[in-house]
Every structure is written in structure tokens, then in C-alpha cells.
Amino acid sequence: MGLAQFFRRDIPGLACGPGGADLVQLFRCPFTHGPYLERQYRLRWRQAEQTEHAERFVTAPPEVPLLRAEHELPEPCVLHPEEVDTYPWAEDDPLPASLIARIDAWDDAQVAEHGPDAPIYQYDLSIPPGWRVGGYPSWASTGPMAVDCASCATPMRLLLTAEGYEMDAGSHSWVPVEDRDPTLRGKASIRGGQSVAQPTRLRFGRDRDLHVFTCPADPGHSPQWVLS
């Protein structure tokens, strides 16, 4: 089942695939596997020029199998990429301890001045929620971890992140202006409710982020999938 496809011409920061491939597609098996009900994903790289000039296209998508829940089937939607500055997760290894201490002190000062709705680094300034290409991984559920290539042990690079929600109560500053009621905060501030907050209708794990890592030394090496 296709979840997404990205062209480098639309997203300059998108890494190249094997042989300079400039189109990447993300697929997920619609069924769970094994005793732990694990998901299986596949990353497929293509040359955009070759696919756009192909002699034959699928005229109709494959039939969707019977699924257990509505969130198993993606809602078709078009991406409108926006470039933003992101910063590392402020816990353990991604940043020096001295810098994390300064961030914690700044957070405490913001809460003391503005109350519980004050902006904080981790949720309002560092990493946006939702689907994103590149940048830094969020580690809200697992804590930071090293992700090395299984083939050559090179530290892997975050290719893309998939998430069920584009906005949530803990990241008010990332809600697009056109979807936000400036007089409110949290989920109550989202104009349009659930359909705006969760446009793809998908869920990953227990509402966690699916991080897709690739090897910068050789993009042909197998990617890694991390739920965090």
C-alpha cells in the first residue's frame, strides 16, 4: 500500500537514492506480522524522468484488502512542502549537557513568566510534528538512540518522518496560521478539528513517529525503520 512519494525537484533537501535516483516512494504492508503485530515497510527509489515517460501506467490502483480499522487506509492528499529550521532533540547525546542545561533553564523561565501555556524548546522550537523530510528525529517515546548502517556501520541519516498528526496540543507554534484560532491554544485552537490535524488518517505504532534512516555512505544499503 503506497503511503507517500517525494520528488527532489520539490524538496531540495531530499537525499539522492542509488544511482542518483530522485524519486522516493514509501510503502507499507496492510497487514501486521509475527507475534508482536509488526509492520513491514519498503522504500523504493526511482528515476523521475524514467517513470514520467513510462510506456505503461497502472490505470487503477490495486484493490484495498479488508482492513481492521479506518486508520489503516491512507486518505489521499497532496503535499505542500514548506522549509523550516529545526534543531536537535534536547536530551542526552544529541546536544552537549551544558547546552541542554541552558535550554532547561530557559524553559523554566518561560513557564515562570507565562504559565503552563508558555512555549518550550522541545515542542515549540526544535522539531515540528507531522510528515517531514530530513532534519532531526524526535525521541519522545524512546529517548535518543544511535542508528548505524547494518552493512558498513556508518551513522545513518534521517531521510523522512511519517506521523499521524500534523499538529497537536503540545506544539501550538507549528500550527499553520490559516488553521489556527489565535485566541486559543492546544487542540482547541485548530480550525477544522480532526480532519485538519490528521489529514492522512494514518497511525504509526501508538501514535508515534516513524523515522526512516538511510546510509549516507551508500544509499543502496538497506534503510532502517525506527518508531519513536
Side-chain angles (χ1 to χ4, degrees):
M1 181 180 295
L3 299 188
Q5 68 175 10
F6 301 91
F7 293 86
R8 290 196 75 232
R9 63 173 181 245
D10 298 325
I11 306 174
L14 183 65
C16 286
D22 56 353
L23 166 61
V24 63
Q25 298 170 321
L26 175 64
F27 296 89
R28 180 172 76 178
C29 179
F31 303 108
T32 54
H33 298 264
Y36 301 107
L37 304 180
E38 296 178 350
R39 292 289 186 184
Q40 291 186 358
Y41 296 91
R42 177 173 293 179
L43 202 65
R44 179 167 292 175
W45 292 94
R46 301 180 185 274
Q47 299 286 350
E49 183 177 0
Q50 294 178 5
T51 58
E52 291 168 343
H53 292 86
E55 296 180 358
R56 183 171 59 87
F57 290 92
V58 175
T59 56
E63 281 192 36
V64 177
L66 182 64
L67 301 175
R68 296 182 304 169
E70 184 182 53
H71 66 256
E72 303 287 350
L73 180 65
E75 179 72 23
C77 51
V78 178
L79 300 174
H80 300 279
E82 179 181 358
E83 189 171 2
V84 297
D85 292 326
T86 62
Y87 302 92
W89 190 257
E91 180 186 356
D92 297 334
D93 295 336
L95 290 174
S98 59
L99 183 53
I100 293 177
R102 291 173 59 191
I103 291 172
D104 290 341
W106 182 86
D107 285 346
D108 292 341
Q110 294 298 309
V111 172
E113 182 177 352
H114 302 289
D117 289 334
I120 60 174
Y121 173 86
Q122 206 78 298
Y123 294 103
D124 289 283
L125 300 177
S126 63
I127 302 171
W131 288 69
R132 50 196 182 271
V133 172
Y136 297 96
S138 56
W139 301 109
S141 300
T142 63
M145 63 177 68
V147 183
D148 297 329
C149 178
S151 299
C152 65
T154 299
M156 303 189 86
R157 179 184 303 155
L158 180 63
L159 175 73
L160 64 91
T161 298
E163 186 181 354
Y165 290 85
E166 290 295 311
M167 54 198 81
D168 55 49
S171 52
H172 176 78
S173 65
W174 297 107
V175 179
V177 173
E178 61 269 24
D179 297 325
R180 179 194 308 172
D181 183 340
T183 65
L184 300 173
R185 290 192 66 83
K187 289 186 178 180
S189 71
I190 302 172
R191 301 184 193 271
Q194 186 78 1
S195 62
V196 172
Q198 194 182 16
T200 63
R201 196 171 57 186
L202 292 168
R203 289 178 60 189
F204 298 91
R206 297 181 177 178
D207 286 329
R208 294 190 287 178
D209 291 358
L210 172 70
H211 296 312
V212 183
F213 290 88
T214 56
C215 178
D218 187 342
H221 289 168
S222 298
Q224 290 202 37
W225 323 91
V226 178
L227 277 170
S228 68

